[in-house]
Amino acid sequence: QRPPALADIAEKTGWQDKFHVLAVGRSAQDDEEYRAWAREGLALAGLSPEAISAWCDTSVHYVSNAEEAGGWQAVADKVAAIESANDLPGNRALYLAIPPRVFPPVIEALAEVGLNRSPGFTRLVIEKPFGKSLETARSLNELVHARFEEHQVYRIDHYLGKETVQNLLVFRFANALFENSWNRSLVRSVEITVGEHLGLETRAGYYDQAGAFRDMIQNHVTQVLTLVAMEPPVKLDADSIRDEKVKVLRSVVPIAANDVVFGQYVGGVIDGETVPGYLEEPGVAENSATETAVSLRLFIDNWRWQGVPFYLRTGKRFPERLTQIVVRFREPPVCLFEVDGTCEVHSDAIVITLQPNEGFELLFDVKAPEEDMRLQTVPLDFRYDAAFGSLPDAYETLIEDIVLGDQTLFVRSDEVEAAWSLYQPILDDPPMPERYAAGTWGPPGSTRLPHASGDTWWQG
């Protein structure tokens, strides 16, 4: 088990005496009571007593009841006291790991007590979801920009912190072999699947209001889409990369209603265990029409991708936890290899697995030995764990980038609004979810999406 991201960063970087955490919560505790709770968690994560003491005993602080009268001023005073006592320069990251409904009042309160400015830097970190519609996202952006500058804002999507997601840029732009093939002339289709093995766990209150589309498609899956489809940036800096991601979103053809399928899982068997259906989950409304799976087909209307279908799919209670990109290449225009009148040539493919068992496979045809031109598809593969061992936690990467002021892996305001603009018509008139059994790859109707372009889902 990996230690929590903040503790691991403090230990790896040697920032223990320069890196302080002030937690703000509702429960009535003082510093020592909160540190005792933190010590327990750090010990369970496997940190040594020495490592815990080196950081937690002096660098972890707590303020309660900020929502009460004068509460946010108490937070500001505590920040100033910590900085003064430890001779800190006033560099602050304000991390809003809070329910989305309280983003606006908290942002207002931080500004009112002057925490939107500091002697050093101030960075506002906002967890997803950033809005629940195009209108609410625009309103939240307006509020944020009234209190903070865009360069201070870090809209965090933990998928972008994964080494394997970042490696998409290297995979494409550092290897001419792949980038020269990454276009409509050679690519037949692209599939992105983000499958979740689990059900709701303890998230029913949030999930039954959000659904799979808002929870996964609008952010995680779309972020992967933009990295797969973007053009080479002019430089490897935050704005250049984010410019190209926005161009992708603005080039997507409006998605047709019959190119979207929603699903909702019913009871089934996963790994030999019977699991309940969505409507039987605790906290879910008995007549809920919330989707737990989404499949869609879209097209990108630009020079590189004209006519190439992109299939996006996500869902809960899928057979396995899997985030995977499949790029299928076109078959040769003339079949030279036939056996008994059947063409033996198959589509080559690149299968990029972002989690788990991170890595990629290049699938291509070879001649099966001792047979008459019968071809067999074989993989040439790479796995991160075999080459590098364990990968860093995504949140470690992102938090370090926040401290260092690198916004490359964070979502810009126009990118948020471009994604919502793309999907809002679907959310305004959503399809009724089809039922699918837990332990399957989503609703049966989703198979028609790749069939429409002569494909099938890679998994399922």
Side-chain angles (χ1 to χ4, degrees):
Q1 183 179 3
R2 298 189 64 87
L6 289 174
D8 212 26
I9 291 171
E11 185 173 17
K12 286 180 178 178
T13 59
W15 290 350
Q16 289 94 336
D17 59 339
K18 302 175 182 177
F19 178 38
H20 289 252
V21 173
L22 173 60
V24 180
R26 290 181 173 178
S27 57
Q29 301 180 74
D30 59 20
D31 285 352
E32 284 307 316
E33 289 172 314
Y34 187 76
R35 287 169 184 166
W37 173 83
R39 288 188 197 99
E40 290 181 12
L42 295 171
L44 288 174
L47 264 69
S48 67
E50 295 76 19
I52 294 172
S53 295
W55 180 61
C56 187
D57 289 359
T58 58
S59 300
V60 174
H61 314 269
Y62 185 83
V63 173
S64 63
N65 299 320
E67 294 175 342
E68 295 182 356
W72 286 106
Q73 187 58 55
V75 173
D77 293 343
K78 184 93 170 190
V79 169
I82 293 168
E83 291 172 346
S84 176
N86 295 277
D87 195 26
L88 299 176
N91 294 328
R92 304 165 184 169
L94 310 174
Y95 198 125
L96 304 189
I98 54 179
R101 60 182 173 77
V102 295
F103 284 160
V106 170
I107 291 168
E108 292 273 20
L110 290 170
E112 285 175 5
V113 297
L115 286 174
N116 58 338
R117 300 287 184 268
S118 67
F121 63 69
T122 297
R123 288 162 188 159
L124 180 71
V125 186
I126 306 178
E127 277 276 10
K128 80 168 188 76
F130 195 89
K132 59 180 298 184
S133 65
L134 176 59
E135 181 183 359
T136 58
R138 282 175 173 163
S139 295
L140 186 53
N141 271 333
E142 289 173 4
L143 171 64
V144 169
H145 290 154
R147 301 292 183 262
F148 293 83
E149 303 294 332
E150 177 64 25
H151 69 82
Q152 295 178 288
V153 183
Y154 290 68
R155 298 171 188 83
I156 195 167
D157 185 328
H158 76 271
Y159 258 57
L160 294 181
K162 294 179 182 295
E163 287 285 338
T164 46
V165 174
Q166 297 172 61
N167 189 54
L168 288 173
L169 297 175
V170 177
F171 185 85
R172 289 189 53 195
F173 303 134
N175 298 287
L177 169 67
F178 299 123
E179 179 56 20
N180 288 339
S181 307
W182 215 260
N183 56 66
R184 61 188 172 86
S185 298
L186 294 174
V187 173
R188 190 178 92 190
S189 65
V190 179
E191 175 186 327
I192 301 171
T193 293
V194 179
E196 297 183 274
H197 192 49
L198 299 175
L200 294 187
E201 302 306 298
T202 60
R203 301 178 69 217
Y206 159 74
Y207 196 90
D208 202 39
Q209 298 298 314
F213 205 104
R214 289 181 174 90
D215 190 51
M216 296 296 290
I217 292 289
Q218 190 274 336
N219 38 75
H220 297 332
V221 180
T222 298
Q223 288 302 314
V224 176
L225 166 70
T226 58
L227 292 173
V228 170
M230 65 183 276
E231 295 297 321
V234 294
K235 292 189 295 184
L236 200 65
D237 62 23
D239 277 335
S240 298
I241 290 173
R242 295 191 292 182
D243 285 346
E244 298 304 332
K245 291 168 66 184
V246 172
K247 288 179 186 177
V248 171
L249 296 174
R250 290 176 176 168
S251 299
V252 174
V253 178
I255 302 168
N258 62 356
D259 278 342
V260 183
V261 177
F262 280 11
Q264 187 185 86
Y265 66 83
V266 296
V269 178
I270 298 180
D271 296 337
E273 177 186 355
T274 300
V275 299
Y278 181 73
L279 296 181
E280 287 78 54
E281 297 275 17
V284 173
E286 62 180 16
N287 61 346
S288 174
T290 298
E291 77 285 357
T292 63
V294 177
S295 301
L296 62 89
R297 183 179 69 152
L298 59 79
F299 294 88
I300 298 172
D301 192 16
N302 64 14
W303 192 275
R304 181 186 291 266
W305 296 116
Q306 177 69 36
V308 176
F310 283 74
Y311 311 116
L312 311 185
R313 177 174 62 166
T314 188
K316 287 189 174 295
R317 292 298 190 194
F318 277 15
E320 59 183 298
R321 172 177 171 262
L322 179 71
T323 301
Q324 193 171 73
I325 303 161
V326 180
V327 179
R328 287 188 175 98
F329 294 98
R330 299 189 186 279
E331 297 175 1
V334 176
C335 184
L336 298 178
F337 306 98
E338 295 187 6
V339 175
D340 299 329
T342 301
C343 183
E344 282 288 296
V345 175
H346 312 103
S347 291
D348 295 340
I350 294 174
V351 180
I352 304 171
T353 303
L354 304 181
Q355 68 177 15
N357 197 21
E358 296 88 346
F360 71 84
E361 295 175 313
L362 174 60
L363 303 176
F364 57 96
D365 280 349
V366 299
K367 180 184 178 298
E370 302 179 356
E371 296 194 32
D372 294 338
M373 281 305 166
R374 192 171 297 279
L375 306 187
Q376 183 172 330
T377 301
V378 297
L380 179 66
D381 67 349
F382 159 81
R383 297 296 167 194
Y384 261 93
D385 58 358
F388 302 109
S390 62
L391 296 173
D393 179 80
Y395 275 104
E396 288 186 33
T397 300
L398 294 170
I399 290 170
E400 284 195 58
D401 284 351
I402 292 165
V403 174
L404 298 174
D406 185 348
Q407 290 184 305
T408 302
L409 303 179
F410 298 85
V411 183
R412 202 168 60 191
S413 60
D414 56 343
E415 188 177 349
V416 170
E417 294 184 20
W420 279 118
S421 295
L422 172 62
Y423 297 130
Q424 191 61 50
I426 298 170
L427 294 170
D428 288 340
D429 187 20
M432 284 299 297
E434 302 177 17
R435 302 295 187 256
Y436 66 96
T440 65
W441 288 100
S446 67
T447 59
R448 66 178 170 77
L449 301 180
H451 285 175
S453 299
D455 289 312
T456 59
W457 291 109
W458 191 260
Q459 302 280 354

